Structure formats: structure tokens, C-alpha cells
Amino acid sequence: MIAAAASRDGSSAAVMAGEAPLRERGQREVFCGLTGIVWLHRKIQDAFFLVVGSRTCAHLLQSAAGVMIFAEPRFATAIIEERDLAGLADANAELDKAVDQLLVRRPDIRLLFLVGSCPSEVIKLDLTRAAQRLSGKHAPKVRILSYSGSGIETTFTQGEDACLAALVPTLPVAETQPSLLVVGTLADVVEDQFRRMFSALGIDNVYFLPAHRDAEMPPVGPTTRYLLAQPFLADTARALDERGAQRLAAPFPLGAEGTAAFFGAAAKAWNVDPTLFQQVIAPAQERAARGLARYRAQLQGKSIFFFPDSQLEIPLARFLSRELEMQPLEIGTPYLHRQHLAEELALLPPDMVITEGQHIDRQLDRCRAARPDLTVCGLGIANPLEALGLTTKWSIELLFTPIHGFEQAADLAELFARPLLRRNLLVA
Amino acid sequence: MQLALWTYEGPPHVGAMRVATALTDVHYVLHAPQGDTYADLLFTMIERRHHRPPVTYTTFQARDLGGDTAELFKTAAREAFERFAPKAMLVGASCTGELIQDDPGGLARALSLPIPIVALELPSYQRKENWGASETFYQLVRTLAGPQASAERAPRDKSRRPRCNLLGPTALGFRHRDDVKEVSGLLNQLGVDVAVVAPLDASAADIARLGEADFNVVLYPEIALTAAQWLQRNFGQPMLQTVPIGAGATRDFIAEVVKVAGIEAVDPAQFEPRATWYAKSVDSTYLTGKRVYIFGDATHAIAAARVAVEELGFTLVGLGTYSREFARETRAAATKYGVDALISDDYLAVEAQIEAVQPELVLGTQMERHVAKRHGIPCAVISAPVHVQDFPARYAPQMGVEGANVLFDTWVHPLMMGLEEHLLTMFRDDFEFHDQARPSHLPAHRPAVNPGASRGAEVIQLPQRETAPEIAADVAWTVDAESELKKIPFFVRGKARRNTERFARDSGVATITIETLYEAKAHFGR
């Protein structure tokens, strides 16, 4: 995984025409990949996420998810103790014990993820082998996989990437007929809309990764074409490529334009008749446009500043600038995958300031100096910026809200309009 | 390894952050991996602070591990000093930082910054948040106040009012903000001035002059006891350890202040909270003997036990704490009220005990709220960890006179009102007002229906946990007895079932009839 992190940097060093992102290094105010568990465990309903880490990891998870009142959460932490570090306890035996304990308590679990953290990576606890060993023990009832959600290797949504990339090698082999795979966690309502849309276009054999249950995970093979629904899936895409699947290059399905182009990429690959394509998407596209018009009046001409968080920043800036006529001042992203974002970058207005990485204090200086109308940032800096009189939109919400597709285009715009509306509503 | 679903306390560096964030001009440079900045949210969201915590993280990544992480730390410390110009600096490592062993203390000293540097050694794999806060505060006091220490203490100049320090309130403390205000007001009324409140809103200079006060008030022993003991040894300052939570404890506190400060005795009647009368008023009679379970940090749990038993007339059925450092004090309190203390940081152990004793009210932390909700038991929060709703906008102390009033309202509120309770007992099958209709302020919660999932057919059914399988195995209920049991109001029904089954087993009855039910009732007296 450390090698993978290095190669990600390698690929992002390739310069793309027209864009000169500023690469910054310094303190990064971002989540680690463990946070992905918060939404992944709701999506995969018979999966359990066991973090192997420290009390800090457990504390992060409950701080991020703690306001939800669970009957019982499907995630936990095996907290490394002094004796594990001193080598007094065989860490592997301890882990096996924790897993046994867990599976007795939750007999309904079919898929268990051992999730690596900074401490487990630094002490080089081999969770891949642990997962193999435990799979042997608990098969066929429970499958056990591993991935790393550590902060040293993954930033926020990259946790989902690592999780899905771990799933890919275990996916069933696809039949010979062509199939379409939509990759990335989507809200259930969005998934259903997409299914109906593909069906109307005459594209059958559509699958989604991840599926709701372990037994329903999609097949993959050389006849698979896949569309990335999220921009942060570098390792998952690479793993799918290794299985012979082919990526359909497309913008991400955010906003009416992005969604149309997303479906357009699939339609082209399936040779869908252009007239049929128009017939199918036009009503939804028109509905989305009507919904967006309401918010354009509120957002038009407003400046916006993105702090890096989820890698959604570039597609969002594209949507906000082209469909709502906002003016991005700086688009920060934790990591820029040029190949996957090529279509998005081509649609962005020229001379956009894109920053990859972060030096939080300097970036805050720039933000304060620019005084944007709206700042998209994490919760660690949102209230402090509000206290300085800047209006903020906290970015994590974008991962927990249905924002993809035609029907959600206006909802997505509303997320950005709401803080501005609120500022106007509150007297003094 | 310890399997943890929830954790009562964070890692010790979060405790250090709570001290740093409480102070006004001290910066904390923390050697930690990318992602550990999540802790900022606790302060900006849960406590809704206006400013970022004064913490600089090195946020190293995997690629840095091959290089010079020590250099990364030095750069971060130097930049933090230049940008924030603090009057003192805390340096330390988080759990992962601890593993890579870069020695933040040595590195920071090598920078020769013109301010005091406090190097924190917080063993992340052994200790927890409160210990981290306590250790940080202690080291800070040693470093900043230490140079002023003098063995001899001059007697107080009688022409000025006695003055004391309030020690222990931090950022992210449960009601610390209002407790400080309440206790300061109380002391002021008694004729005592507050010299320094620390660490909350104190500066480095304030910490340096801690030794000038006549005595110290330890508001939160979990955080300030170690520092206060050090001040006692090195400055000869006596300390007050009575924590004024509840009417009785407030009375004791006042008496102790009078003694230690050497001031005139006061009439306790003027410090009697309204809650004392409220508890005496006939409306509160139905509170008598309500069975209450208490869990939290040691200070709040012990204080709550006294209020529950001596001031509200509840029956204590369980007392526990996650503060291992104060296990002895908690055990002593439990013994006093005739229960066994639970010392554990495993929320499943707490849940098991709540299930076993079937209380009518749970006083606990955010986690006990989850447990109580799951079991349909009324609950109020008395201790950290807490969520955003327990950092209220309104004045809501736990300490002193107003604190006692707040406690009365907060604890009685989730209980069913007396009249409601009577009617439930009399008219069991009322079509609108039945035991399935929860009080309006307790949201319905039925674990069998999973409300979060939109795809009903695919929802995992949570495993139904047996309520005491070891009891159910050897005694059976007749249909008549079972239906008679249902005539008992639901909030005491669990206890009645358990008592009856216990009675049946003890007296060798295999099948419980209506007769057995009433025999058991007569035996246990309730």
C-alpha cells in the first residue's frame, strides 16, 4: 500500500496542457480513510468493519458517526495495547480472538473487513495474511478481506477506494455477454434511477459496485465496461483493469450536463441510437434544468473557494461554474488523478487555480484575502471561518447526501444555496 | 487487543488538546499522521468554538516515513512559533507519532525558541484522555509556576479578602463553562476572590502566578488533582476536594471554604436550592424508591449517587465509572449505598449490568443514552462523553445552587409524571394511553424495525438478545400468570418478572402461576 501511494504521486506528476496546479505541502486538515466506514457500512448491509488500530481510531469513528443512534453499529476497533507492541502477545493470535468474539456476537455478518490504520501499518501487522488465515477458518459462512484506511496512505474518500479495490479480485467471473458496471457508492434512490435509465436505453446487465449484500456482488471480466460514478476510485479502477474490464471515460454524473455525458458514454459504447438516447434523457434533463434555474438566480456570479477534502471538488466546481455560473477562486483537491478527471478538466473554465495537497495556514491566508462568497471546507475550519464573517458549506455532507443524477441536480445546487440563503435570513 | 465498539475516552493527546484549547496563548505542536486533525471537530463542532484549536499537526504521510519525519516536526514547530507567537509551547506525539520515536521534546529544545517548552510524554497505548489532560496540566504548572515556588508561605494579609484558584475546567468539559461561573459566584458571595481559573481561559502568565492564591479549589479531580497536589507540596497551598454537585455537597463545600479560607461562618439557608423544596413537595412523592442506575466519570457518578439517594429519595441499583484512576473512591461510594461498583470502560459490560438490574432511570453518558434507548428506559446525561446537545446555549451548570436546580429538572423530566403513572396502572387496556405509547418526549424505538434502511426486504434483522436466558431456562410461566404480569406497568414489569423468576427458582417452583407472582411480590415487598 505504501508503494501504491508513491505511484499515485508518480502519475499525478504528469503535466496536463492548459492546467498548472499548485502542489502544496504542509499541514493537511483532512480525514483519514477510516471515515469511509461511516457510509460504507450503511451501504453493504451484511458487512462489518473491524479497524485494527489505536484508541485514536476508535475515537475518530465514534466522533464521525456517534450522533447516529444505532441499535448496534456494524463497525468496531480492535485497540492495540502495550503488550501487543512489546511483542508479549502474539498480535495475530490476539486479532483472531477479537474476530472470533465479534462473529459470535454478530452471527448475521457475511463479509468482514479488517481495516488497517496508521499504527497497524507502522508496526507492519500483515492484515492481508490475517484475512486469508481467518477466511480459511470461518469459510464458507464469513468472508474476510482487508484494506488500509490509514491516514498515512489514504485521505477520506480514498478509504472507499481501498475497500472496493480489495473487493475486486474476489468478484465472480463475468459471463461472456457484455455488462456495464457502475462503480462507487451511490444513494439507493440514485441507484434505482440509474437502473431505470440504463434499462430505457436498452442497456441490460447493469451492475453496481458495491452491492447491498455480499452475495450480490457484481461479476467482472473482459466483457465488462465500467463507469466511475465517483472521482476517487484510482485503485479500484486499476484492479478492475487487471480483471480485463475497460473503463468508459466520462465526466462524473453531477449536474444535468455531467449526468447526460455520463449516460452518453455508456450509450456510445452500447451503440444506442442517438434518437433513442435523446428521447430517454431529454425529459429528465429538462426537469433538472428547470430545478436548477431556481437556484441559478441565487448562486449566479457568487465566488466559491474549495478546500481539499474528497476529490469531488473538481467535478463540483465544473457543475457550479457551468450550470449555475458561480466563479471558482481556488479548487483544492487532496489528490488529482489526471486520467480519470481528464473530461472534467476539459470542461472547467480556463485559468482555474487548482491546488493539489495542502498547507492549511497558507491556504487559510489565501481564503481570508480572497473573501469568497462561499467556502467549501471541512468542519474543523467551517465555524472558525463563519466567525470571521465568511459563509461556508461543510463538505462532508456531500458524501452523505444523494447528489448524483438528473433528479438530484437541483438538490445539489440547493446544498450550496442554503448557507447563502441562511445568511440573508438571519437578521444581524 | 481489546475489542471496542464505543470508547468512553479518547486517546491522551486529546486530553492535552483540551488543555491547550482551554488556554489563551499556548500552542501545541503534535507529531501525528494525516487524519488526526479530526480532533479539531470536537472543539469547533461539539463545543462550537469560534477559533481553530491552537494545535499544529505535522500530518506526516507514508512517503514521509522514508524521509526525515524529525525535520518535518522541527519545521512545523518553527512555523507555528513564527505564525502564532505563543507564550509557551506544548510538544508531543499522537499514538502513531509515538511509534516512530522522533522525540518531539528534544527536537523542540534544539530549536532554542525563546519561550518555555513543555514536552509531553503521553503513553497512548496505556492511558486515556483524562489522564492526558491531567498530565498536561501538571507538566504545564510545573514548568510555568515552578520557578516561583518558595518553601515558606507568608500568612495572609488580613486586610484583603482570601483568594483561591479554580482548577480543572477545560475545553470540551461537561458543563465546565457554567460550573466555573456558578462556583465563582458562590465564592464571591462567601467573600472569597477567584485569583486564577485554569486551564480554562487562562494565559501562560496566569499559570505562572498560581502560587499567589491562598488555596486551590479542585473542581474536576480527574484533571486537576495531580497539579493541585504538586501546588500543595511546592507552594504550601491547601486544596478543597469537595465537588459541589448537589445541595448537600454544596453545603459541605461552603463549610470547607469557610474553614480553609478562615472566614466567618454563613447561614446555609441562603444557599439552599429551589430543588430541595421541589423534592419535598408532594408532587415528588412518587419519585420515592425509583430504581436508578448511575455511570459516568467518577466525580459526576459519585456526586449523582448522593443526590439521587439523599436528595431525591431514589433507590440506587448500580454505580459505575470508566475512570480507573478513581476506582477506590467509586467503590467506597458504592459500598455506602449498598451496591457493587462497576469499574469498566467496556460499554457492553455496562449494558449487561443495566439489563440485569432493570432500573427505572439511567443516569449516564452519551453511551448509556444509546443503551437506555435500546431498552426503552428513561435516561438523563450526567457526565462526558457527551454530544453537541449537552453543550447548550442556555445557562446549565451542574455545580452549586443553580446546578442543583438544573439536576432536579433534568433527571425528573424523562420520568413519567405521577398522574400518568397511576392511570397506566389502573387502566391497562386504554386504547390511546397504553404501555406501547411512549411518553411524548421519549421517541419510540423498536429495534425489530430498522428505520434507517430504505430497502425493507434486504434489511438485516438484528439478533434479538435473550434477556437473561439462564433464568428463562428453568422456570415456565402459565398463560394466566403471564397475562397478570402484563397488568403491571411496563416500567417496573422487567423487575417484577426477574423477581418472580428468582423467587420461583429459590423456592423450587417450576411453573409460575398467578399465585407465585403475588407470593414473590409479598416476598420482595414490591
Side-chain angles (χ1 to χ4, degrees), chain B residues 213-436:
Chain B
D214 301 308
F215 63 98
N216 289 312
V217 172
V218 180
L219 288 184
Y220 306 101
E222 273 88 347
I223 290 155
L225 185 60
T226 314
Q229 284 168 336
W230 184 86
L231 286 166
Q232 189 167 36
R233 282 195 305 276
N234 291 276
F235 289 88
Q237 286 171 312
M239 63 173 166
L240 259 63
Q241 278 195 84
T242 307
V243 179
I245 298 178
T250 302
R251 272 196 302 274
D252 294 353
F253 176 80
I254 291 168
E256 210 183 343
V257 170
V258 165
K259 196 168 133 221
V260 172
I263 50 177
E264 265 183 62
V266 292
D267 173 17
Q270 60 172 317
F271 297 104
E272 211 49 59
R274 200 176 291 116
T276 306
W277 161 242
Y278 269 42
K280 282 180 185 158
S281 76
V282 291
D283 197 42
S284 299
T285 312
Y286 82 107
L287 299 176
T288 314
K290 283 261 181 226
R291 312 175 62 261
V292 59
Y293 183 88
I294 297 176
F295 194 87
D297 67 23
T299 301
H300 287 90
I302 294 170
R306 177 171 177 187
V307 174
V309 175
E310 297 177 13
E311 294 167 31
L312 288 168
F314 291 157
T315 299
L316 190 69
V317 294
L319 175 65
T321 183
Y322 57 82
S323 314
R324 271 179 201 286
E325 295 85 354
F326 293 87
R328 194 186 308 151
E329 289 82 347
T330 311
R331 285 206 183 90
T335 308
K336 186 174 167 197
Y337 299 115
V339 294
D340 287 329
L342 175 71
I343 313 295
S344 176
D345 60 356
D346 179 0
Y347 108 107
L348 295 176
V350 178
E351 179 169 17
Q353 209 180 43
I354 290 176
E355 234 176 313
V357 300
Q358 295 277 327
E360 292 163 77
L361 176 67
V362 173
L363 300 177
T365 73
Q366 183 63 29
M367 281 76 186
E368 281 65 55
R369 211 138 105 164
H370 291 206
V371 174
K373 183 156 188 167
R374 190 163 172 213
H375 293 275
I377 305 169
C379 178
V381 169
I382 57 156
S383 157
V386 291
H387 269 311
V388 65
Q389 67 269 44
D390 277 302
F391 286 92
R394 66 175 190 279
Y395 184 55
Q398 303 284 291
M399 291 185 179
V401 175
E402 190 54 27
N405 294 333
V406 169
L407 294 185
F408 182 89
D409 290 345
T410 313
W411 297 6
V412 173
H413 176 83
L415 295 170
M416 185 161 296
M417 298 303 285
L419 179 63
E420 211 179 342
E421 187 178 316
H422 284 305
L423 289 176
L424 256 181
T425 319
M426 284 181 67
F427 307 112
R428 174 178 49 91
D429 288 327
D430 190 292
F431 74 107
E432 286 170 329
F433 192 66
H434 51 85
D435 55 9
Q436 301 303 309

Side-chain angles (χ1 to χ4, degrees), chain B residues 179-194:
Chain B
D179 283 348
V180 166
K181 188 175 170 192
E182 184 68 22
V183 174
S184 302
L186 181 61
L187 287 163
N188 195 34
Q189 271 182 279
L190 292 171
V192 175
D193 289 331
V194 173

